[in-house]
């Protein structure tokens, strides 16, 4: 019988951020596949766990997965971890997970820290709908295309960025986000954790001296919508369109009812518990 591949989230700074279940699975696994074995060894030493490790990183994902699959098919249980946070989220994991699924091998998520989720929930920016874009591409054309996507998006945008590229990224964003709010979540779960809520010019100045890991949360933009298009939106989207204009619930319901040519009560009933 095949073993299981456990995809385990590990701390993004604070070593206390690991679940009891993650610790148990790490102890019970036959083998741990780690992005950087030296890095994971520090965590395992802290948890007093001694286990065989195999490296599984961006540059050997394709080749290393054969060994991992073979061991799973022999019945071994394997724990997959990255250096920090959730494997597969801007970290290795996707390749072997897809192959396991194709081969009918059970893949089990063991939830835990993820930088963007924690940045988002404490940003104060809309959490209802968002686009997580990971790192902006370095290739000029692809980057331009992504920036255009951000410019047009009416949803919250989430970006990862390396400290030494932060200034350049903020400068690129300055041209497209106009007066949208932007929050810089830095060093999450660590001693110097902070949420910086300033305008983009101040952030650009700050970024010259800022150290540590960051997540950027950007408020969604306003979409210019033709009145005729509004009825093609879902009710939720239609609601948010007016909410973004700063209207209160009563005014929004009145406007939606008028746009859709239905009674206010009918719309009110849809949002009564929201
Ligand atoms: N797999 C990780 C996760 O679940 O969030 C992400 C790994 S990705 C290679 C690293 C990026 O995540 C960093 O450049 C930064 O943007 C973000 N990040 C990771 N840890 C962070 C932290 N403690 N505070 C802020 N951002 C962090």
């Amino acid at each position: 019988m095949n073993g299981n591949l456990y995809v385990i989230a590990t701390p993004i700074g604070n070593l206390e951020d690991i679940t009891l279940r993650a610790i148990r699975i790490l102890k019970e696994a036959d083998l741990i596949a780690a992005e950087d074995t030296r890095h994971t060894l520090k965590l395992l030493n802290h948890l007093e766990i001694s286990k065989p490790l195999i490296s599984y990183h961006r540059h050997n994902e394709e080749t290393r997965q054969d060994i991992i699959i073979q061991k799973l098919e022999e019945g071994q249980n394997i724990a997959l971890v990255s250096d920090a946070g959730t494997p597969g989220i801007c970290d290795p994991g996707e390749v072997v997970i897809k192959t396991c699924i194709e081969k009918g091998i059970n893949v089990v998520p063991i939830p835990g820290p993820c930088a963007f989720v924690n940045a988002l929930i404490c940003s104060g920016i809309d959490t209802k709908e968002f686009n997580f874009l990971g790192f902006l591409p370095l290739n000029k054309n692809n980057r331009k295309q992504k920036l255009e996507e951000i410019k047009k998006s009416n949803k919250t945008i989430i970006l990862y960025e390396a400290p030494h590229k932060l200034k350049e990224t903020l400068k690129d964003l300055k041209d497209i986000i106009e007066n949208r709010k932007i929050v810089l979540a830095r060093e999450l779960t660590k001693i110097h954790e902070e949420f910086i809520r300033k305008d983009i010019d101040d952030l650009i100045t700050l970024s010259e001296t800022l150290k540590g890991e960051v997540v950027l949360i950007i408020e969604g933009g306003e979409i210019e919508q033709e009145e005729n298009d509004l009825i093609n939106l879902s009710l939720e989207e239609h609601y948010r369109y007016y909410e973004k204009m700063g209207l209160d619930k009563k005014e929004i319901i009145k406007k939606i009812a008028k746009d859709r040519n239905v009674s206010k009560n009918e719309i009110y009933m849809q949002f009564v518990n929201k």
Side-chain angles (χ1 to χ4, degrees):
M1 205 173 109
N2 290 338
N4 290 330
L5 179 73
Y6 294 98
V7 184
I8 305 185
T10 57
I12 54 170
N14 190 325
L15 290 182
E16 287 177 352
D17 293 330
I18 183 147
T19 68
L20 296 173
R21 186 167 171 230
I23 296 172
R24 178 177 61 77
I25 304 278
L26 285 169
K27 281 183 180 157
E28 289 174 1
D30 297 299
L31 178 68
I32 299 173
E35 183 180 6
D36 180 341
T37 51
R38 286 162 308 175
H39 189 99
T40 298
L41 203 53
K42 285 185 202 151
L43 175 69
L44 294 179
N45 287 340
H46 173 77
L47 298 170
E48 296 178 350
I49 296 173
S50 171
K51 278 283 148 181
L53 287 157
I54 181 175
S55 81
Y56 175 80
H57 51 72
R58 210 170 297 287
H59 306 293
N60 70 4
E61 251 181 302
E62 293 285 348
T63 50
R64 203 36 76 81
Q65 70 159 341
D66 295 345
I67 300 171
I68 294 175
I69 298 288
Q70 189 193 330
K71 289 188 182 296
L72 285 162
E73 286 178 335
E74 285 166 7
Q76 294 198 21
N77 287 315
I78 300 186
L80 175 72
V81 296
S82 62
D83 285 354
T86 303
I89 301 294
C90 293
D91 266 345
E94 208 178 332
V95 173
V96 70
I97 289 167
K98 281 187 179 157
T99 309
C100 282
I101 293 162
E102 277 164 24
K103 293 188 175 284
I105 295 167
N106 205 19
V107 182
V108 186
I110 308 295
C114 180
F116 87 78
V117 174
N118 292 286
L120 175 66
I121 57 173
C122 291
S123 66
I125 291 180
D126 195 347
T127 59
K128 285 189 280 301
E129 279 192 274
F130 54 86
N131 274 350
F132 170 64
L133 300 181
F135 293 94
L136 277 181
L138 296 178
N139 171 286
K140 222 174 162 187
N141 284 339
N142 297 347
R143 189 172 175 98
K144 206 171 152 200
Q145 216 175 322
K146 273 286 167 227
L147 287 165
E148 203 49 40
E149 196 182 307
I150 296 172
K151 184 177 179 177
K152 289 193 188 132
S153 176
N154 63 334
K155 299 190 176 87
T156 301
I157 297 286
I158 308 169
L159 295 175
Y160 279 170
E161 196 44 283
H164 62 285
K165 297 195 189 123
L166 180 62
K167 187 173 177 193
E168 213 43 52
T169 293
L170 288 169
K171 277 163 66 183
D172 285 346
L173 289 169
K174 179 181 157 71
D175 298 333
I176 57 154
I177 65 165
E178 295 174 338
N179 56 356
R180 286 153 70 179
K181 282 187 205 152
I182 174 164
V183 175
L184 201 150
R186 192 175 82 88
E187 291 287 86
L188 293 167
T189 78
K190 304 183 196 174
I191 297 169
H192 298 294
E193 173 183 281
E194 60 177 337
F195 286 81
I196 309 175
R197 300 176 176 88
K198 290 188 183 292
D199 69 34
I200 189 110
D201 287 315
D202 290 341
L203 288 181
I204 291 171
T205 310
L206 253 181
S207 67
E208 284 166 17
T209 50
L210 217 55
K211 292 196 171 64
E213 303 196 274
V214 292
V215 182
L216 292 167
I217 312 284
I218 304 159
E219 184 182 40
E222 276 176 23
I223 34 166
E224 303 273 327
Q225 200 100 31
E226 292 290 331
E227 297 236 323
N228 283 344
D229 292 346
L230 291 174
I231 53 171
N232 294 322
L233 298 176
S234 70
L235 262 186
E236 295 277 346
E237 288 168 336
H238 201 160
Y239 191 94
R240 268 198 298 284
Y241 172 75
Y242 285 127
E243 194 177 42
K244 284 218 160 107
M245 288 180 175
L247 302 188
D248 66 24
K249 190 171 178 177
K250 205 171 149 196
E251 291 168 317
I252 296 174
I253 288 173
K254 196 169 152 191
K255 279 200 162 289
I256 296 177
K258 185 163 178 268
D259 293 341
R260 294 184 179 237
N261 202 18
V262 294
S263 73
K264 273 186 288 182
N265 199 38
E266 194 175 311
I267 302 299
Y268 178 77
M269 293 312 288
Q270 302 281 339
F271 291 105
V272 76
N273 294 321
K274 295 189 177 174

